[in-house]
Amino acid sequence: IGGHWVAYEKPNYMGYQYILGPGEYPEYNTWMGFNNCIRSCQMFPPYRGSYRMRLYNRPDLMGHTMEFMDDCPNVYERFRYRDIYSANVMEGYWIFYEHPNYRGRQYFLRPGEYRACGDWGCHNPMVGSFRRMRTQM
């Protein structure tokens, strides 16, 4: 109820991330869980501000850059790169997905610089889609 939760498969905010908005989740597969184990979680209050981030096809905020302020169901179609190595989230909370159309592993990004994909919790630089973590109105 209220806000968004980021649940983690392991203690200390490690492992797979599951982003949960307000609502009921009767079974773990309804929230795209790879298993039914949650060992830590964080709550983030509703955000009603602007959204803006820059993506880079090289580590350390280098290479080709593209700025986004809205959702993207297919990164390759818009960015022409399959690998996103770094990001600068300037405003808002964002969710990265491993595959296009908001499928696969999820990664939560809050404002800040992510100089390598490991900074947001993934082991490879593949980002298939992303969306803003918006408050339902």
Side-chain angles (χ1 to χ4, degrees):
I1 297 175
H4 284 84
W5 291 85
V6 180
Y8 300 83
E9 168 192 49
K10 297 181 180 178
N12 301 313
Y13 315 117
M14 303 294 287
Y16 293 135
Q17 301 174 24
Y18 308 110
I19 292 87
L20 306 173
E24 294 185 18
Y25 299 89
E27 295 184 28
Y28 73 92
N29 55 4
T30 61
W31 39 271
M32 296 173 60
F34 289 102
N35 61 50
N36 62 358
C37 183
I38 293 177
R39 297 283 166 86
S40 56
C41 62
Q42 296 177 307
M43 197 280 256
F44 291 88
Y47 177 77
R48 291 182 174 86
S50 299
Y51 292 83
R52 192 167 68 123
M53 77 169 162
R54 290 189 183 127
L55 300 179
Y56 303 84
N57 72 331
R58 297 280 180 250
D60 294 319
L61 310 175
M62 302 291 285
H64 289 95
T65 305
M66 186 146 198
E67 189 166 312
F68 291 92
M69 297 179 354
D70 57 355
D71 299 350
C72 179
N74 191 315
V75 171
Y76 181 74
E77 287 180 1
R78 292 219 11 223
F79 195 52
R80 294 296 178 228
Y81 292 96
R82 295 191 189 280
D83 296 338
I84 304 300
Y85 282 88
S86 54
N88 182 3
V89 176
M90 294 165 284
E91 297 178 90
Y93 299 136
W94 295 80
I95 305 167
F96 281 5
Y97 294 83
E98 182 179 31
H99 301 295
N101 300 311
Y102 316 115
R103 296 179 301 113
R105 292 185 177 118
Q106 304 171 16
Y107 303 99
F108 172 70
L109 287 82
R110 67 186 92 200
E113 291 183 349
Y114 299 84
R115 298 190 159 276
C117 61
D119 292 350
W120 63 75
C122 72
H123 299 292
N124 65 50
M126 196 148 168
V127 175
S129 53
F130 57 81
R131 69 172 76 180
R132 299 163 288 167
M133 187 190 300
R134 293 179 298 211
T135 301
Q136 301 293 345
M137 300 220 175

